[in-house]
Amino acid sequence: MAAVIPSAPAPNVSSTFGRLARRDAVVRTALIAVLWLGVLLVAYWWAAGGGFQDLGSSLTDALMSLGRLSGLVGSALLLAQVLLIARVPLLERAYGQDRLVRIHRIVGFTSFDLIVVHVVLITWAYAAGRLSSTPATLWNLTWDYPGMLLAVAGTLLLILVVVTSLRAARRRLRYESWHLLHLYGYLGAGLALPHQLWTGQEFLASPRATYFWWAAWAAVAATVLVFRVLAPLVRNYRHGLRVAAIFPEGPGVVSVHLIGRRLDRLRAEPGQYFTWRFLDREGWTRANPFSLSAAPDGQTLRITVQNDGDGSASVAALRPGQRVLVEGPFGRMTPRARTQRKVAMIGAGVGLAPLRALAEGLGYAQGEAVLLQRYRSHPLFSGELGGLRERRGLNVVAMPGPRRSLGSWVGEGYDGYTDTQVLLGWIPDLVQRDVYVCGPPAWTAAVRKAAEQAGLPREQWHEEAFGW
C-alpha cells in the first residue's frame, strides 16, 4: 500500500442523493426554531406579568421573579427533552437516535438545573429573604400548596434519572439497568409540572398561558403514550416476531435469524437497530440494542451479537420459536443520510454488522463502494462479503491484527504512516464519499479524527451509537 495524499476535488454530488438528507435538515431547523419560540414565549409572559419591574423592587420580589422565570424556562425545556426521546418517527429520521439522545441530555440537564434554581429561589422568597427560614418554608410549601407533594415526588424521580445519567454512574451500571431506571424520567416530568398549572402566577392571570401549558403538557403526554406505548404494542402484535435459527459467526459471536408477519411494514433500513426483548428467558424485561446485520427483505430479519454482556451472552442460548418483542427501528446510519454517489464503510469487530447490512442494501456501481474491515484474528462475514465483491463490485480491504496503539485505529504493519495517511492510502478520494463507521467508541473516535484531518465534510460522516 502506498499512502497517497490527494488534492481536494469537488464533491461529486448527484441530484438523486441528498434529497432526503436535505429534507431532514429542514426538520432539524424547524425543531430548533420551535424550541426557541417556546422559550421566548414563556419569557414574554414572564415579562408581561411584571417580571422586569419586580427585579428592581424588593429582594423578595426579585427572588420571586427570577424563580418564576427559571421555573417557566425549566418547564418548557423539561417538556422538550421528554419529546426528544419520545420515539417520534419524524425526529428519529431527521436526527438519528444517538444524536437525539445527546441533545436530550443537554436539554435535560439544563432543565433540571433551572428547576432546582426555581425551587431554591421561590422558597427563599417565601421565607422573606431569610436563608435560615428556608427549610421550614419548604416544608410548609410542600404540605400546604396544591400539587407540591406531586412536584416533590417528581423532582426526586428526576434526581434519580440525572444521577444515573452522569458518566461516573453509567460506567457502574449495565445498559439494561440504566435503560429501566431512565424510564422513571417520564413519570418524574409528569408529576413535576402540574403544580405550576394550579398555582403559578402566569397561569392564574392569563387564560392564554393556561391553555398553552395545558395543551403542551397534554400533547407531550399523548406523544409519549402513542409512540412509546401504543405503537410498540401494535407493531409487535402485527408482526409476531420469533426466533427462526441461531448460527455461529466466530468465537463468541452468533447471528440470530428472525421471522414474522408482514415485516415489510416495519420500514426498517440497512444500518438501523432495534431494542430487543427475547421472551421466555431470564431478564426478558430488559431491552438490548442490536443492529441488523443483513438488509431487511420484508420476510426475515437478522442480528449479529457478540458475547460481551449479560444480555448479549444469553443470546447464544436462544431457541427457535422463542417470541421476540422489539422497539424501533432506530438510527440514521442508513441510505437516507447519503449525499454522495460513492461510499466508504469502516468497521471493527462486531461493529461490522450494520455495515454488512449497508453493503448489501446501498445502491452503488462497480468501484463506488469500499469497506475497510478491522479485526484482531477472525473476520466476520468473510463469505458474504466475498459474494458482494463478486456480484456487486464491493471493494473489501482486510486489516487484521491488534491496534498498533490505543490512540490509533489501524493495526500493525503501517510503520512510517500516520493514521490519516493510512486512511487516504486505502481511500484516496475520501472527501468524495459518504463515510459510514461502526466500532468501539475509542476506535471510532480515532477514525473520525483521521477523517477530519483528511478534510471530510461533517455532513458526510455517519456513525451510530446506542444512546447509552
Side-chain angles (χ1 to χ4, degrees):
M1 185 207 71
V4 180
I5 308 294
S7 58
N12 180 18
V13 181
S14 168
S15 59
T16 304
F17 303 117
R19 178 173 55 86
L20 293 178
R22 289 190 292 272
R23 182 185 302 173
D24 292 340
V26 171
V27 173
R28 292 193 294 270
T29 301
L31 178 66
I32 293 171
V34 169
L35 178 60
W36 276 108
L37 285 173
V39 171
L40 290 174
L41 180 61
V42 299
Y44 164 77
W45 280 328
W46 167 81
F52 284 115
Q53 293 91 325
D54 289 341
L55 290 179
S57 185
S58 65
L59 173 62
T60 300
D61 289 340
L63 291 173
M64 186 69 73
S65 180
L66 290 174
R68 284 166 34 218
L69 178 61
S70 60
L72 288 168
V73 177
S75 297
L77 294 180
L78 183 61
L79 289 175
Q81 63 108 1
V82 171
L83 185 64
L84 286 169
I85 208 68
R87 307 290 197 252
V88 180
L90 182 68
L91 300 183
E92 293 283 343
R93 289 193 295 266
Y95 282 92
Q97 180 64 198
D98 67 331
R99 190 173 176 186
L100 276 177
V101 168
R102 288 197 297 269
I103 300 173
H104 162 82
R105 281 176 54 82
I106 295 171
V107 174
F109 279 122
T110 304
S111 68
F112 178 77
D113 291 343
L114 287 172
I115 288 172
V116 171
V117 170
H118 164 75
V119 172
V120 171
L121 293 180
I122 291 294
T123 306
W124 192 2
Y126 272 100
R130 297 189 297 271
L131 285 174
S132 60
S133 301
T134 53
T137 302
L138 180 61
W139 178 264
N140 292 333
L141 289 173
T142 301
W143 283 105
D144 296 339
Y145 276 70
M148 282 300 298
L149 277 175
L150 292 178
V152 170
T155 302
L156 292 176
L157 289 175
L158 291 176
I159 291 173
L160 172 66
V161 172
V162 167
V163 169
T164 56
S165 295
L166 297 173
R167 296 188 187 278
R170 283 189 295 155
R171 284 195 293 266
R172 297 175 179 272
L173 289 171
R174 298 179 305 180
Y175 168 81
E176 300 90 342
S177 301
W178 172 86
H179 183 268
L180 189 62
L181 288 171
H182 210 69
L183 294 178
Y184 285 106
Y186 291 111
L187 181 59
L191 295 176
L193 291 176
H195 86 282
Q196 292 188 340
L197 303 175
W198 292 331
T199 62
Q201 174 179 321
E202 279 74 14
F203 312 112
L204 298 176
S206 170
R208 286 178 299 177
T210 302
Y211 296 148
F212 167 82
W213 280 102
W214 275 112
W217 190 90
V220 171
T223 301
V224 171
L225 179 64
V226 169
F227 293 113
R228 289 303 302 260
V229 180
L230 295 181
L233 288 175
V234 171
R235 184 178 298 117
N236 283 284
Y237 176 78
R238 173 195 293 163
H239 299 298
L241 277 170
R242 292 179 179 271
V243 174
I246 302 96
F247 294 102
E249 295 285 357
V253 180
V254 297
S255 283
V256 181
H257 297 250
L258 303 112
I259 56 175
R261 301 182 297 270
R262 295 180 290 178
L263 296 186
D264 56 306
R265 297 185 64 180
L266 270 176
R267 297 183 179 179
E269 294 186 74
Q272 290 189 305
Y273 67 93
F274 291 79
T275 58
W276 305 81
R277 292 178 173 88
F278 298 97
L279 304 185
D280 306 321
R281 69 162 188 169
E282 185 179 354
W284 69 268
T285 57
R286 297 188 296 265
N288 299 100
F290 299 126
S291 295
L292 298 176
S293 61
D297 59 9
Q299 297 179 333
T300 62
L301 298 174
R302 189 184 79 178
I303 59 175
T304 300
V305 181
Q306 184 175 21
N307 180 358
D308 61 359
D310 291 345
S312 56
S314 61
V315 171
L318 293 174
R319 303 182 309 277
Q322 280 188 258
R323 294 181 299 160
V324 182
L325 301 180
V326 297
E327 289 184 66
F330 304 129
R332 198 169 178 271
M333 197 176 73
T334 67
R336 184 182 188 91
R338 185 176 176 184
T339 61
Q340 307 296 307
R341 179 174 296 279
K342 296 181 179 181
V343 295
M345 293 162 279
I346 309 172
V350 78
L352 198 72
L355 304 183
R356 157 65 182 83
L358 279 167
E360 182 182 13
L362 284 171
Y364 53 87
Q366 181 89 21
E368 290 183 346
V370 58
L371 188 152
L372 305 187
Q373 182 180 14
R374 281 282 297 118
Y375 59 93
R376 180 175 290 271
S377 58
H378 187 89
L380 292 177
F381 313 121
S382 55
E384 295 174 356
L385 293 177
L388 288 171
R389 181 193 293 115
E390 295 296 324
R391 295 192 310 271
R392 302 192 54 193
L394 174 69
N395 181 17
V396 181
V397 177
M399 304 180 71
R403 280 196 281 167
R404 61 182 177 183
S405 68
L406 290 178
S408 174
W409 70 276
V410 303
E412 298 172 343
Y414 294 93
D415 295 341
Y417 298 105
T418 67
D419 281 13
T420 303
Q421 288 174 328
V422 173
L423 182 60
L424 290 172
W426 286 117
I427 315 175
D429 57 350
L430 182 77
V431 297
Q432 291 181 293
R433 298 175 182 261
D434 277 288
V435 179
Y436 295 87
V437 180
C438 189
W443 178 88
T444 300
V447 181
R448 186 192 310 117
K449 180 179 178 181
E452 289 172 349
Q453 292 177 347
L456 183 75
R458 179 177 300 180
E459 62 271 15
Q460 291 168 224
W461 171 272
H462 313 292
E463 66 172 288
E464 191 81 35
F466 289 140
W468 153 236

